[in-house]
Amino acid sequence: MLTVSHVGRRFPSGTEALRDANLHLREHDFIALLGPSGCGKSTLLRLIAGLDQPDSGELIWENGPPAAGDIGFVFQDATLLPWATAEDNVFLPLRLRGVARDRGMPDVHAVLHRVGLKGFERARPRQLSGGMRMRVSIARALVTRPRLLLMDEPFAALDEFTRHKLQADLLDVWRQAGCTVVFVTHSIYEAAYLARRIVMMTPRPGRIDREITSTLAHGPETRLDPAYASLVAAVAVGMEKALR
Ligand code: ADP
């Protein structure tokens, strides 16, 4: 889908956020970008989203640059319109593309149901819990059926129980939607639980250091699975080496 080739980004402040970053994204990948705060994860995500431009290197899209709606973005904060209902928040990207409300609503409702919000279509953000607001945010990112879903520490502000539930549900959503996910996190446990490819970054300047591939099988007991414990250990050791 995308090759990130020798990408560098230095901000006008002088901070070299990325140096010689290389990454190949394939269809249906689930990639975690893992590393400590400040190692350039968000910078790389913003470059992939087209929200920022590299100073060196290039991003090579296999089928040409993505169109509006091909990429969905989910931030750490749900960033919902506080006065608008869940369905109107999710409808927004369609509205911005000129879709009429009654034509868009079936898709809006389908995606709200998919993220577990059946019955909450008319709720406003303040009537929803933090986890539910994040579900609305994910639904809004999915409503245009993006090929690529970019997520920047989306669950970092949630309590651990809610986070675990959203992680499990995100995997279901990813399998159904068939899109590629790039998920930024500084949690080893989260990266190991979610991703098929765990890409480790080191700071100053940010580089992609190594990658671990996961074949973890997911079920209700995944977090108790010795295979999950070994994967967490392997990622922790990998990160230790990367940061040495
Ligand atoms: P991460 O997502 O891994 O926490 P970031 O990509 O946000 O890291 O930041 C990488 C480095 O670049 C940090 O040192 C950060 O302070 C710096 N940085 C990020 N964005 C900007 C910006 N717009 N201007 C200047 N420096 C920035």
Side-chain angles (χ1 to χ4, degrees):
M1 176 185 278
L2 168 67
T3 304
V4 175
S5 174
H6 304 293
V7 159
R9 178 72 174 109
R10 181 190 288 277
F11 291 108
S13 62
T15 303
E16 190 178 8
L18 287 176
R19 183 189 288 180
D20 197 27
N22 294 289
L23 183 65
H24 187 66
L25 293 193
R26 294 180 294 253
E27 304 282 344
H28 309 306
D29 263 343
F30 196 125
I31 290 183
L33 287 181
L34 174 67
S37 290
C39 72
K41 304 182 295 296
S42 298
T43 301
L44 180 55
L45 207 66
R46 290 174 52 81
L47 291 171
I48 295 173
L51 298 171
D52 189 18
Q53 301 303 318
D55 297 304
S56 54
E58 54 185 336
L59 283 87
I60 305 155
W61 294 92
E62 211 161 280
N63 298 314
D70 281 347
I71 296 184
F73 209 121
V74 180
F75 302 91
Q76 181 172 336
D77 299 315
T79 62
L80 305 178
L81 303 174
W83 60 85
T85 60
E87 65 183 16
D88 282 331
N89 269 289
V90 174
F91 176 57
L92 184 66
L94 298 180
R95 198 177 94 193
L96 293 173
R97 298 168 85 201
V99 176
R101 202 169 190 290
D102 43 338
R103 277 205 49 215
M105 261 321 132
D107 282 350
V108 167
H109 288 169
V111 78
L112 276 169
H113 297 179
R114 200 194 293 165
V115 299
L117 288 178
K118 194 173 170 61
F120 293 92
E121 296 84 351
R122 301 286 167 83
R124 287 174 212 282
R126 69 182 143 73
Q127 298 168 303
L128 300 172
S129 68
M132 292 162 93
R133 286 199 288 268
M134 183 48 69
R135 289 175 188 274
V136 177
S137 180
I138 293 170
R140 182 183 53 191
L142 289 173
V143 76
T144 59
R145 299 176 199 213
R147 292 164 53 221
L148 180 57
L149 180 61
L150 304 176
M151 308 185 84
D152 196 352
E153 301 196 31
F155 307 149
L158 303 174
D159 67 75
E160 196 157 10
F161 311 101
T162 305
R163 188 183 313 138
H164 283 185
K165 183 78 175 92
L166 266 104
Q167 287 167 349
D169 291 352
L170 173 62
L171 288 175
D172 290 339
V173 164
W174 165 63
R175 286 194 200 97
Q176 283 179 31
C179 58
T180 297
V181 174
V182 182
F183 189 107
V184 163
T185 179
H186 53 240
S187 162
I188 290 169
Y189 297 97
E190 184 164 66
Y193 181 83
L194 286 173
R196 302 283 85 185
R197 296 171 59 197
I198 299 145
V199 171
M200 300 179 212
M201 295 184 65
T202 60
R204 271 174 282 277
R207 284 182 305 107
I208 290 173
D209 189 86
R210 61 192 69 212
E211 177 174 330
I212 289 183
T213 308
S214 158
T215 52
L216 190 65
H218 288 84
E221 308 273 276
T222 305
R223 285 175 222 275
L224 304 174
D225 185 342
Y228 175 54
S230 325
L231 181 60
V232 166
V235 175
V237 169
M239 264 330 295
E240 238 168 62
K241 287 188 186 147
L243 294 172
R244 205 170 279 155

